[in-house]
Each structure stands twice: as C-alpha cells, then as structure tokens.
Amino acid sequence: MFTHKLFWKTITTFLLAACISLGNFVQISYAEDDLMEFSKKSGYPIKEGYRPKASIVIDADSGQILWEEQPDLSWNPASIGKVMTMYLAFEAMEQGKFNLDTTVKATEKDVSISQIYALSNNKISLGVDYPVRDLFSMVAVPSSNVATVMLANLVSDNDEAGFIHKMNEKAAELGMTNSTYYNSSGAQISAFGGLYQPEGIDPEGDNKSTARDLAILTYNLLKKYPDVLQFTNKPVVTTMADTPYEETFETYNYSLPGAKYGYEGVDGLKTGSSPTGGFNYIATAKKGETRLIEVVLGVGDWSDQEGEYERHLAGNAILDHAFSTYEYKKLLSKGLNTIDQKEIHLDKDFYGFVKKNSEPSFSLENGQLTLNSELGQVSPKISAQSVNYQESEKKAEKLPSSEVKKKQPLHTEVAKKSARNYVLSSILAGLGLLFLLFSKAFKKRNSDVSRRSRKTPTLTSRLLLTSGILLLLSAVGTLIFL
C-alpha cells in the first residue's frame, strides 16, 4: 500500500512540475477583485496616482460589506466631518428642539467667519434669519463652514466645546471605534482666527476616521433620518430663494446624475478635501430596491486639484463593481427547507445579497438562520441578515448498522469507485494524447526553421513527449491499480 501511494505521489509531483516548465497552462485571474483592472472594464478607469487610499461599499439595508480595501486606515476626512454635525442636527429635531423652519439669526461672528477667504464659500448677512433647511443645503452642497458652525451652535445652545464632545460620544455610541473629532466642520479650529474656539479642544487637531467608520455613520444616518437625501440629491441648489440673500450653488458631488461624472442612482451624500486629507467622498446610490453606501478616501494630493474629479471616477468604478458583482434576491422560501442536513421551517421568505452565479451558505444558531457573507458586517453592532426558524419535528429514523449495509450494498460502492476511475483514466488519457500532439507540432515547427533540429528535438518537444507518455501510463495505471 505504501509503495502504491508513493508511486502516485511521485507521478503527480512530476506532472505538476512539467506543467510549470511548459509555461503555466492553467492560470488564475484575479482581475475581478483588482480595483485598477475592473475600473477599466467599468468605463471609469482610475489613473495611476489617483487610487484611493481606502474604500468600502456596504448594503444600506443590512450593513453587509460588498467591497473593501484598507477600510480601517486612519484618515482625515476633511469636510466629510460635517456629516456628523448633520446627524446631530437631525437627532435634535427628532427630540423636538427645533425644526426645518426654525431660523438662526446671523451674528457678527458668523459674518466674520464667512469673510475668511480660506474658509468662505457663501455669504452671510448680519441680522438675517436663516432657516435650518437652508443651513442644511449650505452645509451639504457648497460645504459651508460658517453654516456648519451656525447649525452646531443651534444644536448645542452655543456650547462649542460641548458640541465636539457630543460628536465623539455619538461616534462611540454608533460603533465608530477609530474616529475622533476636533471640530464640527472639518476645518481646523486654528483656521477660524479665534472666531470659533471650543475651549479645551486642540486647535490644530484634524478629525480622524476610517472608511468603515464613515460607512457606519452613513448607515445610521440613512436608517434614522433618510430625509437628509433631500439636501444631497441635486446637482444645483438655491438657498434663501426669493430673498435679497438668494445664492445658487453647484454640487461638488460630480457623480450625481446631471453632473460631470453622473452615475445612475447616485443621490448623495458628501465630499471633503483638505491639504492633509486629499480628496474624499461618501456616495449613496439606489438601483431598484437596492441601495448601497460607498466611502472613498485619499484620492490624489491636495497640490493636484484633479483629485476633485478623479475621486468620482474611482467612486463610480467601485460602485459599478459592487452592483455588477452582487445581486439581491430571494435565497430561501417560507416554509420547509433543508440546511446543513437539517429540516427547518422558515417564518418568511429570506432575501439577501450574494455574488452572482454563486450559492449562498447559512448558519443556524439559537433559532436564527443567518446568511454567511465573504466580507462580513461593517460593524458588530449591525447584525447580519437573518430569519427565525423552527426545526422540523420529523426526525430521520436511525437504522441499525446491519440495515444500513443492506441499504447500501458493497457492490454499489465498488461500482461508484469504478466509474470514478474510468472518468479519471479518460481525462489522463486525453491529456496524454494532447501533450503528444503538442510535441509533434513543436518538432515540426522547429524542423521548418532549422535542418539541424530535424535530428535534435528541442527541450520543449522532449518534455511534451515525456509528459504525454507518462499521462497515458497514468491512465492505464488508474484502471489497474486504483
């Protein structure tokens, strides 16, 4: 028996070595999961130097990860920090502190902040009442720093440091374990020239987060306050309409339909850029009943403003890959199903995301059937797709070992083994003949090039001939010895 096993191990090793020597006949393509490769196929090619430092895509309904690359890299998200400010403003409205029609009267400090060239992207006039809904539009689209501070002061009753602490407390509550906030807008406190100065907060501190944490934040924002999308889904917005203070802004989200790199289904959410953070982007996109959340961080360099556009090519490519690779469908029907050789009864139809042309797998635990996913959940606080089940009362009868043998006689197993041997033998024989044909072809080609090669076969033709003979012998051996 030992000699028999050794013989077949030796033959297998030799054949593998022969295949490698002949140029790797079998190759595996990893292009499906290579960002630079699939971006070309998507029609949104990513240029060298503009590959995101980190990215992630999740299902907005379940929190299932569909794509990730360095999702836990610590990064300065720049103006994406404003998303947490918007979250806390929506939460305050939910608590009844104010509503979208509540107005905020502009102070001298607000006017002065709006006049700082490095921070300014909209005008604020002294004594004017700005409705919260207009402040939201200013924050979301032109990424107004002064509007963000005005909104944060409304939420915190002008407790600037208290608002920063609230941002960090909410991040911890949501499971954003690698995020720290030092300001409400994404701009360092020191850039405000003393006009915005939360006590006890490092004025040079940059907000830090990760693609994963920002996806968690956006997941919770859309789950609890989906109305945020009304402020992020238009390529052009007008604030303070029909007043002397009316302004029109074009979005920096160039993936919105109607913008420069419009992608079907995109309806938000926020961009951000800074000298230390480069160009960043959170996108939400919906096709049919499927909504995805995407975060892209660190595209390009601040010194090259092309990154403002290139982040959207990268974002579109990654979104397109997720939409084309996965599908949301019914995985199991309500009622009786067999999972892991157990008969179970599901309370309802079970839907989920799976890769196209693949079979889903499930886990059964504590009366919950859960979909197993390749990349898992974006946060342990967000449970995977699951459905309640009950085990069927019908138990399979345990037969005595003698009865089992009667049910599965020995000659049946022998017949199955014989059939397998015939298949294996046929495959080996076919490969052997193919190698012999290749050997003859190589020999003929070289004889046409050089007279000398008619007498001296090339190394390649020798290897092919030898491999072919060994494969034929292996085919015969399979029938005789196995």
Side-chain angles (χ1 to χ4, degrees):
M1 179 62 71
F2 175 77
T3 304
H4 175 208
K5 289 183 178 179
L6 183 61
F7 170 76
W8 286 110
K9 284 183 179 179
T10 304
I11 290 296
T12 302
T13 302
F14 179 83
L15 291 175
L16 286 172
C19 286
I20 294 171
S21 300
L22 292 171
N24 295 322
F25 283 106
V26 180
Q27 296 184 3
I28 300 174
S29 173
Y30 296 97
E32 178 189 354
D33 293 318
D34 184 84
L35 174 56
M36 303 304 282
E37 287 298 320
F38 70 63
S39 72
K40 296 175 185 176
K41 296 179 181 179
S42 71
Y44 302 100
I46 300 172
K47 298 175 186 175
E48 291 296 333
Y50 294 102
R51 183 181 187 131
K53 302 294 190 302
S55 57
I56 194 170
V57 178
I58 67 170
D59 170 27
D61 182 54
S62 68
Q64 179 183 342
I65 300 173
L66 308 183
W67 161 267
E68 63 177 15
E69 192 167 78
Q70 299 224 82
D72 299 309
L73 175 71
S74 180
W75 198 255
N76 172 16
S79 284
I80 285 179
K82 293 178 171 71
V83 175
M84 179 60 87
T85 296
M86 290 194 290
Y87 184 102
L88 293 174
F90 271 105
E91 184 178 68
M93 288 193 292
E94 181 185 38
Q95 295 167 355
K97 293 181 179 179
F98 55 86
N99 57 50
L100 290 174
D101 295 318
T102 300
T103 59
V104 178
K105 189 179 293 292
T107 66
E108 289 185 5
K109 186 183 290 189
D110 298 330
V111 174
S112 297
I113 291 174
S114 73
Q115 293 172 347
I116 298 175
Y117 178 78
L119 299 176
S120 177
N121 40 29
N122 71 302
K123 299 174 183 177
I124 292 293
S125 298
L126 182 63
V128 173
D129 291 323
Y130 289 87
V132 168
R133 68 174 70 254
D134 288 277
L135 292 178
F136 265 117
S137 292
M138 293 175 189
V139 171
V141 181
S143 201
S144 169
N145 290 301
V146 63
T148 305
V149 172
M150 292 169 70
L151 196 58
N153 286 337
L154 175 64
V155 173
S156 66
D157 295 324
N158 295 306
D159 183 356
E160 294 173 337
F163 186 82
I164 305 301
H165 293 310
K166 190 181 289 287
M167 295 176 81
N168 286 298
E169 289 165 5
K170 183 56 63 175
E173 178 187 320
L174 297 179
M176 300 168 64
T177 55
N178 293 299
S179 295
T180 304
Y181 289 93
Y182 291 92
N183 56 74
S184 62
S185 70
Q188 289 182 343
I189 293 171
S190 59
F192 288 81
L195 297 170
Y196 169 65
Q197 202 168 15
E199 187 177 350
I201 306 296
D202 181 3
E204 302 298 331
D206 272 331
N207 294 339
K208 294 293 183 182
S209 192
T210 66
R212 181 190 302 276
D213 280 4
L214 293 170
I216 293 170
L217 173 59
T218 308
Y219 170 90
N220 284 280
L221 178 63
L222 295 182
K223 281 283 188 183
K224 297 174 183 176
Y225 314 114
D227 286 348
V228 68
L229 295 178
Q230 69 178 290
F231 300 105
T232 67
N233 62 8
K234 298 179 182 66
V236 179
V237 298
T238 297
T239 61
M240 302 298 286
D242 302 321
T243 74
Y245 315 103
E246 179 178 309
E247 288 186 277
T248 298
F249 304 99
E250 293 186 7
T251 183
Y252 292 113
N253 182 353
Y254 300 117
S255 290
L256 282 172
K260 185 170 183 175
Y261 296 114
Y263 185 88
E264 179 189 354
V266 170
D267 52 11
L269 185 81
K270 189 73 186 74
T271 62
S273 57
S274 73
T276 56
F279 296 90
N280 313 295
Y281 175 44
I282 295 178
T284 63
K286 187 175 183 181
K287 289 187 177 182
E289 296 303 311
T290 299
R291 177 179 290 283
L292 302 184
I293 295 168
E294 168 189 59
V295 181
V296 173
L297 298 178
V299 175
D301 185 87
W302 179 255
S303 62
D304 176 12
Q305 291 294 301
E306 280 300 305
E308 182 178 317
Y309 303 102
E310 294 294 332
R311 66 184 165 195
H312 296 282
L313 288 174
N316 289 357
I318 295 170
L319 267 181
D320 197 70
H321 176 67
F323 275 119
S324 61
T325 302
Y326 285 85
E327 60 181 337
Y328 184 79
K329 64 179 184 178
K330 183 166 76 171
L331 305 178
L332 296 170
S333 296
K334 176 181 178 180
L336 194 63
N337 292 269
T338 301
I339 305 294
D340 295 340
Q341 300 180 338
K342 290 183 180 180
E343 285 192 349
I344 62 172
H345 189 279
L346 298 184
D347 294 348
K348 58 183 179 180
D349 293 339
F350 185 51
Y351 292 79
F353 265 103
V354 292
K355 280 190 173 181
K356 293 179 180 178
N357 303 316
S358 70
E359 290 298 322
S361 68
F362 308 95
S363 296
L364 300 175
E365 187 174 359
N366 299 326
Q368 290 278 312
L369 178 142
T370 305
L371 173 65
N372 296 326
S373 64
E374 182 181 356
L375 299 175
Q377 294 296 106
V378 69
S379 167
K381 287 179 173 283
I382 302 172
S383 300
Q385 295 274 73
S386 64
V387 64
N388 294 329
Y389 76 88
Q390 295 84 36
E391 285 196 41
S392 174
E393 294 181 2
K394 183 179 178 181
K395 303 289 184 181
E397 294 183 16
K398 292 185 178 180
L399 298 175
S401 57
S402 59
E403 289 296 317
V404 173
K405 290 180 181 179
K406 288 180 182 179
K407 293 282 185 181
Q408 298 179 348
L410 181 61
H411 69 79
T412 302
E413 292 301 316
V414 172
K416 288 181 180 178
K417 184 176 180 181
S418 178
R420 287 195 297 268
N421 291 349
Y422 275 116
V423 171
L424 179 59
S425 176
S426 299
I427 292 172
L428 291 171
L431 287 172
L433 291 173
L434 189 61
F435 272 51
L436 291 176
L437 288 173
F438 281 150
S439 171
K440 187 174 181 181
F442 267 92
K443 186 175 180 180
K444 184 176 184 303
R445 186 188 69 176
N446 283 284
S447 67
D448 292 337
V449 176
S450 170
R451 291 182 179 180
R452 184 180 175 185
S453 62
R454 293 174 186 165
K455 297 178 181 180
T456 307
T458 65
L459 176 61
T460 302
S461 63
R462 282 180 176 177
L463 285 171
L464 286 168
L465 178 63
T466 304
S467 299
I469 293 171
L470 285 171
L471 284 165
L472 289 173
L473 290 173
S474 299
V476 174
T478 300
L479 294 176
I480 295 174
F481 297 111
L482 293 182

